[in-house]
């Protein structure tokens, strides 16, 4: 069985592009990142701690975490609308990175990887930001935006995997699941 260790509806939707045969489950874990950890290592760490609680002798587990990083600063999920406004104002007119870390655990062992996608925003007016915040879309997303929704209106360009920004690097994950290391996975 393939298990997605996530409560994200976006990750469930993206994994269904690879297979419909999976179960999505999640547990609350302490997502405090150790000090001085790079964004690349942070997403690997968080993806691992999300997957490990479901480790068993039969299944392939997928854990994932996505973060938005601007000039080395991690922009998590906003605490409230004011925090969302501040984040979007910071991202306005700038290029930032979106990292998604993925951990795969099978009875044979573990493998983790990450992907980076660069996203450049147009210059945003305060009115545009306020209107977007009123949609409510930004409050549960890293960096306070969803590229797959109204947040797409802010994106001037991306370099890399679009699905990575949504929350799961689909093609890279598919390729990893084809690895004989995960031979118990039921291929398409």
């Amino acid at each position: 069985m393939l298990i997605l260790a996530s409560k994200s509806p976006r990750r469930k939707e993206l994994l269904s592009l690879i297979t419909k045969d999976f179960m999505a489950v999640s547990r609350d874990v302490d997502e405090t990142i150790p000090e001085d950890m790079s964004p690349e290592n942070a997403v690997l760490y968080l993806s691992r701690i999300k997957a490990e609680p479901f480790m068993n002798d039969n299944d392939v587990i997928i854990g994932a975490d996505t973060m938005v990083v601007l000039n080395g600063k991690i922009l998590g999920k906003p605490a409230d609308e004011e925090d969302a406004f501040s984040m979007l104002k910071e991202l306005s007119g700038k290029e930032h990175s979106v990292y998604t870390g993925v951990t795969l655990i099978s009875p044979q062992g573990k493998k983790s990887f990450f992907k980076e996608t660069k996203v450049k925003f147009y210059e945003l007016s305060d009115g545009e930001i306020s209107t977007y915040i009123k949609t409510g879309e930004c409050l549960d997303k890293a960096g306070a935006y969803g590229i797959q929704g109204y947040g797409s209106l802010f994106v001037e360009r991306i370099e890399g995997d679009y699905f990575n920004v949504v929350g799961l690097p689909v093609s890279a994950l598919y390729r990893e699941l084809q690895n004989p290391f995960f031979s118990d996975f039921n291929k398409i």
Side-chain angles (χ1 to χ4, degrees), residues 1-4 14-23 57-62 104-108 168 170-188:
M1 169 65 88
L2 186 62
I3 297 174
L4 174 63
L14 293 175
L15 185 56
S16 73
L17 296 173
I18 297 173
T19 181
K20 306 285 186 219
D21 188 21
F22 70 93
M23 178 173 63
D57 293 335
N58 302 309
D59 301 316
V60 174
I61 317 300
I62 301 169
L104 298 166
I105 301 175
S106 78
Q108 292 80 28
L168 198 64
V170 176
S171 59
L173 176 58
Y174 171 75
R175 302 239 175 270
E176 290 296 335
L177 289 170
Q178 302 311 304
N179 186 320
F181 187 73
F182 300 106
S183 60
D184 294 338
F185 171 66
N186 217 352
K187 294 179 175 55
I188 296 173

Side-chain angles (χ1 to χ4, degrees), residues 39-75:
E40 298 91 331
N41 287 330
V43 292
L44 294 174
Y45 168 76
L46 292 171
S47 70
R48 191 180 74 246
I49 66 169
K50 289 178 178 182
E52 286 176 340
F54 302 101
M55 236 169 44
N56 63 63
D57 293 335
N58 302 309
D59 301 316
V60 174
I61 317 300
I62 301 169
D65 192 78
T66 301
M67 64 178 49
V68 172
V69 179
L70 177 65
N71 299 325
K73 177 183 173 187
I74 296 170
L75 302 178

Side-chain angles (χ1 to χ4, degrees), residues 60-132:
V60 174
I61 317 300
I62 301 169
D65 192 78
T66 301
M67 64 178 49
V68 172
V69 179
L70 177 65
N71 299 325
K73 177 183 173 187
I74 296 170
L75 302 178
K77 294 178 183 176
D80 53 29
E81 290 183 359
E82 186 176 311
D83 193 27
F85 188 93
S86 176
M87 284 185 195
L88 291 167
K89 194 76 172 161
E90 277 188 84
L91 293 171
S92 175
K94 297 183 186 107
E95 183 178 87
H96 60 276
S97 292
V98 179
Y99 294 93
T100 297
V102 178
T103 294
L104 298 166
I105 301 175
S106 78
Q108 292 80 28
K110 297 179 193 178
K111 178 164 186 186
S112 295
F113 67 93
F114 75 89
K115 291 294 175 184
E116 176 186 10
T117 301
K118 296 199 179 283
V119 180
K120 169 84 166 42
F121 269 21
Y122 286 106
E123 289 287 339
L124 307 176
S125 70
D126 290 357
E128 286 175 301
I129 294 171
S130 295
T131 299
Y132 178 60

